[in-house]
Amino acid sequence: PILPHMSTPKRPRMDRFLRAAGRSYGGMGKEQQGAEAPFHFVQMADTQLGMEASFLPGGMAARHDKGWGNELKLLQKAVEEVNRLKPAFCIVCGDMIDEWPEEERDRKSADPDLRERQEKDFKEACSRIHADIPLLCVCGNHEIGNRPNSMTINRYTESF
């Protein structure tokens, strides 16, 4: 039953990264997944695109090629394995990108352009997960900050 403080479930959004709505997730229902049957899933975490690059000397282009590029290759390998294993679903448990949200209070070093590029690369790589494998992306502190607020949470829910 829907209680007064709960909203009526909305129609699930079908964009690959925007399927969660109304406390449900499009493609993860009992009808689609066969909840009574045994299943396996893949759990990933801390892909944190851009972290290795942040430790390397040189301009952003050099850091992208040497660090971020390596991270992308590893993420692409993980995507290949997800597709090979054919799990019931794949869940990424936070810190998908390295750059912090600029909306976090007192965060002075955030680079919104860098964050946008990291998010784009993450989504491009994970878009290669077969469409019949639901992908759930759970936020971490690099997505919503160490002190989440309405702006960081809204930014996250607009993207993921």
Side-chain angles (χ1 to χ4, degrees), residues 19-87:
R19 291 185 181 179
R23 297 183 184 215
S24 66
Y25 185 87
M28 292 291 293
K30 188 175 185 177
E31 305 80 33
Q32 295 94 350
Q33 294 294 317
E36 305 300 322
F39 68 93
H40 66 281
F41 64 94
V42 171
Q43 185 267 330
M44 302 190 300
D46 296 283
T47 54
Q48 216 154 331
L49 291 182
M51 187 175 100
E52 184 179 346
S54 69
F55 294 111
L56 297 173
M60 193 58 215
R63 291 192 306 227
H64 181 279
D65 292 343
K66 293 180 182 161
W68 194 338
N70 291 337
E71 294 166 332
L72 274 173
K73 286 178 189 170
L74 289 171
L75 180 55
Q76 289 162 353
K77 178 69 174 160
V79 165
E80 289 171 12
E81 287 301 304
V82 169
N83 288 333
R84 184 184 68 77
L85 293 169
K86 298 180 177 131

Side-chain angles (χ1 to χ4, degrees), residues 48-52 54 95-100 115 118 142-143:
Q48 216 154 331
L49 291 182
M51 187 175 100
E52 184 179 346
S54 69
D95 291 350
M96 295 163 275
I97 60 173
D98 188 58
E99 189 60 29
W100 294 89
R115 180 182 174 87
Q118 290 175 357
H142 282 260
E143 283 76 45

